[in-house]
Amino acid sequence: MELIYLSRSDVEALNMTMKDVLAAVDNGFRLKGLGKTEMPPKPGIHPRPDSFIHAMPAYVQEVESAGLKWVSGYPANTGKGLPYITGLLVLNDPATGIPIAVMDCAWITAMRTGASVGVAAKYLARPDSRQAGILGCGVQARPSLMALVETLPQLKEVRCCDLFPAAVKRFMDEMGKLFPQLRFIPCNTPADMAKNADVIVTAIPIVTKPAPPLEAGLLKAGGLAVSLDYDSAWTSAAMKECDKFCSDDVGQLLSTKGHGVYFGDIPERVYADLGELAAGLKKGRANDREKIFAMNMGIAVDDMVTAKALYDRAVKTRVGVRLPL
Ligand SMILES: NC(=O)c1ccc[n+]([C@@H]2O[C@H](COP(=O)([O-])OP(=O)(O)OC[C@H]3O[C@@H](n4cnc5c(N)ncnc54)[C@H](O)[C@@H]3O)[C@@H](O)[C@H]2O)c1
């Protein structure tokens, strides 16, 4: 018996595009909506203040992907020149349970997170959205923008804000080369970033005692806010003023809330999870005036469908190292 080990650079060499990841993740959400996935709420350990190491298992029928992501987020790493998010993902053969692959999960996490923003935009943004706003111009911001470009064909302008102006500059330089058709506007404050934005993505560090900079009234009518950072960026009044509050997994949202650290003051009613929207069980945006909020915490289904597509490519192209079990 042997498994395939895929390093970060092996994963990248498999050339999966955002379009490919979006298709896989949208399908994963659809299967989740149809009840064809098994995904318990993620348990975690927290060895340092504001840090987490989460275990994220899932099985996705039809795609036949089963496995576990073991992923950490350490805000203090940034100051040490280390990545905030690191981890490994194990895939098992669903028929026998035997491990078939171990791979770096940083690229997968970033791309599937971006894709979850794209899926939220597909069902919840105004299709004619022209302006995006991004708070936190780090790793997750990049694939989030890639996914918005794929989903919102009329996107023209990106308003960018970060605690560090150098991060905004790096983001604009990199993304400007990738998307020369977009106009990038650096913003000094979160409120300025939000001005007139049709879709706002927030990706700042998740902290246990946040002072959210985005207040009620900042999301425009017809706007969509996608939070990748739990309740760190938007005040509860801002979340509660939205007409629809959605999530990528209601079960996980409520379970995390139940632990008593995050989501203490989110809206009472969660309208839908993205699976229900992707499966056509609930309607997404109903009109051009609705303010909609998507709380995307990141789900293991997204990881497993992406990892399985990478595994299939690695088998076909002989990328990666074969290791005895
Ligand atoms: N929901 C998901 O699926 C998912 C997946 C991965 C990561 N995340 C979360 O996304 C967030 C960003 O992760 P990342 O990997 O991009 O981290 P990162 O460190 O690469 O980027 C975060 C950026 O936010 C900036 N920042 C920090 N505090 C800020 C503030 N108060 N205002 C404005 N900017 C601020 C930092 O300077 C940095 O550029 C984290 O909260 C992480 O846990 C979510």
Side-chain angles (χ1 to χ4, degrees):
M1 286 186 296
E2 64 173 22
L3 57 77
I4 301 178
Y5 173 71
L6 298 173
S7 67
R8 165 79 188 242
S9 57
D10 293 333
V11 167
E12 286 182 17
L14 292 167
N15 285 326
M16 233 182 134
T17 63
M18 176 49 80
K19 203 187 186 80
D20 300 329
V21 180
L22 254 171
V25 167
D26 197 11
N27 187 42
F29 275 117
R30 185 183 66 84
L31 292 168
K32 177 178 184 296
L34 296 176
K36 295 188 172 187
T37 59
E38 182 183 1
M39 190 187 70
K42 52 187 172 195
I45 54 175
H46 307 87
R48 292 287 183 279
D50 289 327
S51 75
F52 66 82
I53 313 180
H54 283 157
M56 302 178 65
Y59 168 52
V60 185
Q61 288 174 27
E62 292 186 18
V63 177
E64 277 304 277
S65 183
L68 167 83
K69 186 170 85 165
W70 183 230
V71 62
S72 62
Y74 272 62
N77 277 7
T78 318
K80 300 174 187 166
L82 296 170
Y84 171 48
I85 299 278
T86 57
L88 289 173
L89 188 150
V90 180
L91 275 185
N92 300 73
D93 179 344
T96 60
I98 296 171
I100 52 173
V102 173
M103 57 187 88
D104 177 85
C105 78
W107 183 94
I108 295 169
T109 300
M111 289 295 277
R112 67 67 147 147
T113 303
S116 85
V117 173
V119 171
K122 177 176 172 185
Y123 299 107
L124 299 172
R126 286 198 344 269
D128 62 348
S129 295
R130 293 172 64 85
Q131 285 195 317
I134 296 199
L135 182 68
C137 296
V139 172
Q140 311 304 323
R142 287 155 166 81
S144 297
L145 179 59
M146 291 178 199
L148 290 180
V149 169
E150 287 292 336
T151 346
L152 302 171
Q154 296 190 38
L155 199 69
K156 292 278 175 304
E157 205 170 275
V158 186
R159 305 177 70 79
C160 320
C161 180
D162 195 283
L163 200 54
F164 300 102
V168 174
K169 184 168 182 324
R170 276 196 303 276
F171 179 78
M172 292 191 343
D173 288 350
E174 264 177 55
M175 295 289 106
K177 281 192 197 112
L178 215 51
F179 303 118
Q181 77 277 23
L182 297 179
R183 182 165 164 246
F184 289 85
I185 300 170
C187 300
N188 289 330
T189 64
D192 189 27
M193 174 280 307
K195 212 174 277 169
N196 214 30
D198 300 302
V199 179
I200 297 176
V201 180
T202 60
I204 64 175
I206 296 169
V207 291
T208 46
K209 292 190 176 65
L214 293 168
E215 312 265 359
L218 286 175
L219 182 64
K220 76 188 238 190
L224 167 69
V226 186
S227 164
L228 300 176
D229 43 22
Y230 286 25
D231 43 12
S232 297
W234 293 92
T235 62
S236 54
M239 290 187 259
K240 286 177 180 172
E241 73 169 359
C242 289
D243 301 291
K244 285 179 175 147
F245 186 79
C246 301
S247 170
D248 53 357
D249 186 53
V250 177
Q252 186 173 298
L253 179 69
L254 299 180
S255 152
T256 308
K257 181 180 159 85
H259 295 145
V261 181
Y262 304 107
F263 305 128
D265 204 10
I266 57 173
E268 286 279 299
R269 178 161 182 265
V270 184
Y271 169 72
D273 81 25
L274 296 184
E276 294 171 300
L277 301 177
L281 303 176
K282 282 191 185 163
K283 195 172 158 52
R285 170 170 292 277
N287 61 55
D288 279 357
R289 300 293 299 165
E290 278 182 321
K291 291 190 188 193
I292 303 185
F293 199 101
M295 181 63 80
N296 284 11
M297 293 164 294
I299 61 170
V301 164
D302 298 347
D303 295 305
M304 293 315 140
V305 290
T306 308
K308 179 62 169 29
L310 288 166
Y311 172 78
D312 289 344
R313 283 173 187 231
V315 170
K316 225 183 248 169
T317 55
R318 299 285 310 162
V319 166
V321 178
R322 272 62 187 164
L323 296 173
L325 199 57

